[in-house]
């Protein structure tokens, strides 16, 4: 944990990862508290190596959010509006913690899990 504190003190980005149910809420809260990024639902393949595709997905999520807030769904067919909303919810679930990421790659990626108690 000292290493993470040192990285954050230097102004570098840290990516918190905790996809188990017990850790999801804590990871989101702690990452938000220290203004860092997190993944707490599902690890997307290529998240660290294929940033171009991830950035495209984040851009699409932002476009869908704007459409939802502006009421652009109203002028579309019910089925198409449902499809767009489903796509937005899916992207929101997977990209919520990294949607505002500016750095191409985090300086440190830490995986945090709640350990099983000793018997």
């Amino acid at each position: 944990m000292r290493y993470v504190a040192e990285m954050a003190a230097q102004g570098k980005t840290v990516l918190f990862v905790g996809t188990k149910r017990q850790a999801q809420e804590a990871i989101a809260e702690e990452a938000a508290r220290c203004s860092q990024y997190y993944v707490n639902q599902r690890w997307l393949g290529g998240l660290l190596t294929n940033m171009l595709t991830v950035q495209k997905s984040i851009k699409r999520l932002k476009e869908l959010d704007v459409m939802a807030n502006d009421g652009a769904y109203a002028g579309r067919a019910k089925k198409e509006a449902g499809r767009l909303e489903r796509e937005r919810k899916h992207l929101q679930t997977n990209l919520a913690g990294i949607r505002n990421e500016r750095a191409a790659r985090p300086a440190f990626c830490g995986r945090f899990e709640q350990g099983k108690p000793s018997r």
Side-chain angles (χ1 to χ4, degrees), residues 78-104:
K78 186 175 181 180
K79 193 171 189 177
E80 184 180 0
R83 182 186 59 79
L84 291 172
E85 183 62 20
R86 190 169 45 251
E87 180 184 1
R88 187 184 72 79
K89 285 181 181 179
H90 175 72
L91 290 172
Q92 176 66 31
T93 300
N94 290 325
L95 301 174
I98 59 171
R99 72 180 299 166
N100 297 321
E101 187 172 3
R102 301 204 191 301

Side-chain angles (χ1 to χ4, degrees), residues 15-19 38-59 61 87 89-99 101 109:
L15 177 65
F16 292 92
V17 180
T19 57
Y38 66 92
V39 173
N40 68 345
Q41 291 294 324
R42 179 176 173 265
W43 182 261
L44 301 174
L47 192 63
L48 294 176
T49 57
N50 197 359
M51 282 305 292
L52 185 62
T53 302
V54 173
Q55 292 296 334
K56 285 181 184 177
S57 295
I58 291 171
K59 182 179 176 186
L61 172 60
E87 180 184 1
K89 285 181 181 179
H90 175 72
L91 290 172
Q92 176 66 31
T93 300
N94 290 325
L95 301 174
I98 59 171
R99 72 180 299 166
E101 187 172 3
C109 180

Side-chain angles (χ1 to χ4, degrees), residues 12-25:
K12 296 184 177 177
T13 59
V14 176
L15 177 65
F16 292 92
V17 180
T19 57
K20 297 207 175 191
R21 289 196 189 268
Q22 299 89 351
Q24 288 177 350
E25 188 176 325

